[in-house]
Amino acid sequence: MGICWALGAMVGAAAYFILSAHGGDTVPGTVLASGGLLLGGIGLLLAGIVGIVPLHAGTAPADFGGRAVAWWFPVLALGVVTAALAYVSGIAATRLLGSRLASFAALAEVVAAIVFAWALLGETPHPIQILGGALILAGVVVVRLGEPEYIATPSGELNADITGITGPNG
C-alpha cells in the first residue's frame, strides 16, 4: 500500500511541475492551484468514504494561538496560508525557474526538514540522511548547470543558447 501512495505522490509532483511550467498565461496560477486542491480534496474524501483514511470533524470552538475561535477560522487560515499561498507562489516560481530546475529545487524541502528537525527538535540526522541531502543539493547544481542559457533576439523573443550542447554524434 505504501508503494502505491509513493507512486501516486511522484506522479502528482511530476504533473504539478509540468503543468506549472507549461501553463503559460493561458492558465492563471490560482486556477491551477484550485484545480489541484480540488482533485486532492476529492481523492481524500473518496479515501475517507472507502475507509482508507479516518475522517471525523466537529464544530466545537478551536484553540488557535491560545485563543478560542470558531472552528472555521483555523480551517480558513490553514487553507489560505498553507495551501493557496504556497501553491500560487510555487507555480509562479516554477514558471520563472522552469520545471526541471524547480522540481529539483523543491527537493530542498526535504533537506530543510532534516535541518529544522535537528535544530528545533534535537533529532540528529543519520548518515544516510546526510548523504541523501548532499545528493539532492548536488542534483540541484547539476540540473542548474545543464539548463540552457537564453538570449534575447532583436525582436524581443528568447532563444536558447545551445552552442555548448552536443548531440549523439558529438
Side-chain angles (χ1 to χ4, degrees):
M1 186 63 141
I3 292 174
C4 292
W5 284 105
L7 183 59
M10 288 188 296
V11 169
Y16 169 79
F17 286 110
I18 290 169
L19 290 172
S20 294
H22 296 294
D25 294 331
T26 59
V27 181
T30 53
V31 172
L32 190 58
S34 298
L37 291 171
L38 179 64
L39 288 175
I42 290 170
L44 187 60
L45 182 61
L46 290 174
I49 290 171
V50 173
I52 297 172
V53 176
L55 295 179
H56 60 281
T59 57
D63 180 30
F64 189 72
R67 301 178 70 191
V69 296
W71 66 269
W72 55 266
F73 185 77
V75 172
L76 181 65
L78 288 170
V80 169
V81 174
T82 64
L85 184 64
Y87 269 90
V88 171
S89 61
I91 291 167
T94 299
R95 289 183 178 169
L96 290 172
L97 294 173
S99 61
R100 186 167 60 161
L101 179 58
S103 63
F104 275 91
L107 292 174
E109 177 182 353
V110 177
V111 177
I114 292 171
V115 171
F116 280 117
W118 189 7
L120 300 175
L121 304 174
E123 294 181 7
T124 306
H126 297 285
I128 193 73
Q129 291 172 309
I130 294 170
L131 176 64
L135 289 174
I136 289 171
L137 293 175
V140 170
V141 170
V142 168
V143 166
R144 181 63 186 125
L145 292 175
E147 288 281 316
E149 294 290 327
Y150 289 94
I151 300 172
T153 63
S155 65
E157 295 178 8
L158 293 177
N159 290 329
D161 177 17
I162 56 172
T163 55
I165 299 173
T166 58
N169 296 328

